[in-house]
Each structure stands twice: as structure tokens, then as C-alpha cells.
Amino acid sequence: MTERKPLIASCESWVEVQIRICPGPWRIRQSAGAGKRLADLDQAHDPLWWVKQPIRREQISMLPPSLELLRKVEKVLATIEALPDEAAVRREIAALNAELAKVNATVLEGPATRLCKIDTDGMVARWQRSRGALTPPDRHR
């Protein structure tokens, strides 16, 4: 931060002094973002960029609870096949069902949920079928 201009100094001479004592252009070349392209330079001007940028960066969701839950259910159901064992599948589905029951009973804002309790045994059967497709069958000699 530069000091304030003394009252007796003229603006021109004070600015020239500030330029002379400046660290120099080499500090700018060594800065963290040097040589990198400016983000969103090709985007059209958005007057709300200052609100949207941290939301994107922090991955903040601004969906109503019912839609947020729908997104979470879709994400979990898509990853069921990757779970290591049947107990993990049952735990995930039980957690989803508990959250579904809570949201269905308490949501007052946003659209109503259209989700009902997930069939645990059906999801375990789906998980077993996917595991059977991934592992080759045992061949008896």
C-alpha cells in the first residue's frame, strides 16, 4: 500500500516517485497466474458473475430439498454396483429410505417429492446380478 500524497508535493512528482519505487515488472511475471489465460474471458458479460462464481467453485446446491434428494438418490443408485458387499448395499438403501421418509414428511417448500421407499431386496438382487456379470462363472474340471 502506498502512502498518501504529501500536501506539498505535486501530483505528477508524487506519481513519478511511486513508479520509481515500484518493485518492477519482473514481480508481475513471477506471480502465480502469470502466463495463464483469464477465466471466462470468452463468456458474455453476466452482471451476476460475482454470485455465480463462488457457487460454481464451492459446488453449492440451491435446489429445494425434494429435488436435492432426487439428485442424491440417482447418484447412489448409479453407484450401487461398485459397492463391495451386500451389507454395504443394504446400509446405503436403508440410509436413503430414512432420508426419503424424513423429506416426504417434512418438506414444505419446492415441488412435492415423487419418490417412495426403495425396495432393499430388489436393489440387493440388482447388485448380485451386476456382480455375476462382472465375475466369470466358475468352471468345474
Side-chain angles (χ1 to χ4, degrees):
M1 177 94 177
T2 60
E3 297 176 16
R4 291 180 152 248
K5 180 183 89 59
L7 294 176
I8 57 172
S10 71
C11 281
E12 271 185 72
S13 63
W14 184 76
V15 169
E16 289 172 4
V17 168
Q18 295 302 313
I19 292 171
R20 257 194 318 273
I21 64 173
C22 176
W26 61 272
R27 286 208 189 234
I28 294 172
R29 286 193 299 265
Q30 293 177 347
S31 66
K36 294 184 181 174
R37 189 169 181 270
L38 294 176
D40 300 332
L41 192 59
D42 55 346
Q43 301 294 323
H45 174 68
D46 184 5
L48 293 175
W49 67 269
W50 59 277
V51 174
K52 294 176 183 177
Q53 190 175 35
I55 288 173
R56 256 193 319 266
R57 183 180 60 239
E58 303 295 328
Q59 297 178 350
I60 298 171
S61 175
M62 299 186 67
L63 292 175
S66 57
L67 294 179
E68 185 66 38
L69 183 61
L70 178 61
R71 178 186 282 177
K72 182 177 181 178
V73 168
E74 288 174 351
K75 209 180 284 186
V76 169
L77 293 181
T79 61
I80 285 289
E81 287 85 15
L83 294 175
D85 57 4
E86 183 177 331
V89 174
R90 289 187 182 277
R91 277 193 307 274
E92 283 290 323
I93 299 303
L96 271 179
N97 282 335
E99 199 167 343
L100 279 167
K102 179 183 170 193
V103 171
N104 283 336
T106 61
V107 167
L108 298 175
E109 62 185 54
T113 60
R114 54 188 168 101
L115 300 171
C116 59
K117 184 178 174 186
I118 298 170
D119 178 27
T120 305
D121 293 329
M123 291 308 297
V124 168
R126 174 179 157 188
W127 177 80
Q128 289 171 340
R129 281 193 306 273
S130 73
R131 298 309 261 189
L134 293 177
T135 58
D138 291 336
R139 295 187 183 182
H140 298 286
R141 294 175 192 199

